[in-house]
Amino acid sequence: MHFTLEAQNRCRPFIPESSIAIDATAGNGFDTLFLAQCVGPNGRVLAMDIQADAISRTESKVEQAGCSERVECILADHAELGLHVPREYYGRVSCAMFNLGYLPHSDKSIVTKAHSTIEALNALEPMLAPNAMVSILVYVGHQDGLSESLAVKDWITERSERYQIERLVDLENPSSPILWLLRNR
């Protein structure tokens, strides 16, 4: 299973035209571009990443696709999500995507961490619209991956009444990524 494509396929029905979406880990810009295409010309996507290289790659990708006017790229840790999302977007975010771990084809020592991911998820909650979708793709096979995965699982478990939860994993692969899909009730 290609988990990033699966995340996009599962999120697509929950992203109406002209809505607001967040890519909390812009990386190479694939999810940002996907979100920009879903929200359409009157929608808005906020894409964050802690690495300047990721922001540059993302800006280039959305510019090449003609979607740059609907995307704002922010060079910041996703833990600072609450500082960068305008208040008027609170309660209106239709989808948020997290693709945790490290930036492919880059410095693998720079990885997302449990504490910053949990801060980002906490900040995200009041931003979500009714029926919003959140995808969290967690990679357990890298430095800090297992501890981040356990922290995300605990965070989700504590909120089992708030979200409809789905967990996808390749059971035959012990280091399989885990895709969490949370639908706001």
Side-chain angles (χ1 to χ4, degrees), residues 50-110:
I50 197 167
Q51 294 185 69
D53 191 30
I55 293 299
S56 176
R57 292 178 194 186
T58 299
E59 287 173 335
S60 177
K61 186 170 292 309
V62 297
E63 185 177 330
Q64 288 173 3
C67 296
S68 55
E69 74 286 344
R70 62 188 92 157
V71 175
E72 178 183 352
C73 290
I74 303 162
L75 179 60
D77 188 322
H78 61 237
E80 299 172 2
L81 188 66
L83 300 175
H84 296 281
V85 175
R87 284 285 175 202
E88 62 265 21
Y89 290 179
Y90 278 54
R92 298 177 49 207
V93 173
S94 64
C95 182
M97 300 184 81
F98 291 77
N99 193 336
L100 304 174
Y102 58 83
L103 177 62
H105 314 295
S106 190
D107 183 351
K108 290 184 169 85
S109 70
I110 302 172

Side-chain angles (χ1 to χ4, degrees), residues 121-138:
L121 290 167
N122 285 333
L124 176 67
E125 283 193 294
M127 299 174 193
L128 296 175
N131 206 37
M133 178 65 85
V134 178
S135 75
I136 309 166
L137 185 52
V138 185

Side-chain angles (χ1 to χ4, degrees), residues 150-161 165 180 182:
L150 293 172
V152 167
K153 179 183 178 189
D154 289 346
W155 186 89
I156 291 169
T157 301
E158 291 170 7
R159 287 153 178 81
S160 61
E161 291 183 20
I165 301 165
W180 292 97
L182 312 177

